[in-house]
Structures are given as structure tokens and as C-alpha cells.
Amino acid sequence: MSIMSIISNTNHTYHTERIKEMNGPEGKYAWTATVGEKGQIVIPKQAREIFGIKPGDTLLLLGDEKQGIAIPPKGAFTELFNLAFSEKSED
């Protein structure tokens, strides 16, 4: 089975199992998501479970025109906000 047929498969459980069978690095995963008419995507159940994503969570989306879209860990938004707006002590 080619990697493209795995990527295009919309059965997320089958897709993830096939990636694991390919001896991918431990802790690395790949899923697919379909964009709906309103631009919404559904994060696959296994991904939500692994990364602790719950309904109502706010996720940070980062985009790079050459590299694509990334979703950093849930706490990244808070960390970046605190870093950007923390008061610097003047020495």
C-alpha cells in the first residue's frame, strides 16, 4: 500500500493503525481531517484523546505559507500570551 493511499483514506482508525504498522517513530501520528463547507474540521477522536482536547478548548493555529498549518500544545497560547505581555524588570 502506498503512502498516498494511506493519506487519502478517511477511516481515521485504519489510517493510524497503518501508520503504526509502518514502524513510524514512537509518539508520532498522522490523521486526516476533511474541511466542511463552513471551513470547519473535526479533530479525530484518537488525536483528541492523546492530546487531551476537550469541547470548548481554544487551540492556537500557526501558519506558514511554505510549511503549512500547525496546532501547538493546548497551553502554548497561554504561554505565548504571558511571554508577550509580561512586564520586564528594568535592571
Side-chain angles (χ1 to χ4, degrees), residues 19-20 24-30:
I19 294 294
K20 287 181 180 177
E26 187 69 29
K28 305 290 184 184
Y29 303 90

Side-chain angles (χ1 to χ4, degrees), residues 25-55:
E26 187 69 29
K28 305 290 184 184
Y29 303 90
W31 296 281
T32 60
T34 302
V35 179
E37 289 183 26
K38 294 182 180 182
Q40 298 170 320
I41 63 170
V42 175
I43 299 170
K45 181 180 178 186
Q46 185 184 31
R48 294 191 313 266
E49 290 172 349
I50 289 170
F51 296 104
I53 299 170
K54 306 281 186 249

Side-chain angles (χ1 to χ4, degrees), residues 26-87:
E26 187 69 29
K28 305 290 184 184
Y29 303 90
W31 296 281
T32 60
T34 302
V35 179
E37 289 183 26
K38 294 182 180 182
Q40 298 170 320
I41 63 170
V42 175
I43 299 170
K45 181 180 178 186
Q46 185 184 31
R48 294 191 313 266
E49 290 172 349
I50 289 170
F51 296 104
I53 299 170
K54 306 281 186 249
D57 283 350
T58 298
L59 302 176
L60 177 64
L61 293 156
L62 302 175
D64 180 291
E65 289 181 3
K66 293 181 182 176
Q67 295 185 37
I69 297 173
I71 304 174
K74 280 187 355 183
F77 179 78
T78 303
E79 290 177 35
L80 288 172
F81 181 86
N82 289 338
L83 181 64
F85 294 104
S86 66
E87 293 192 29

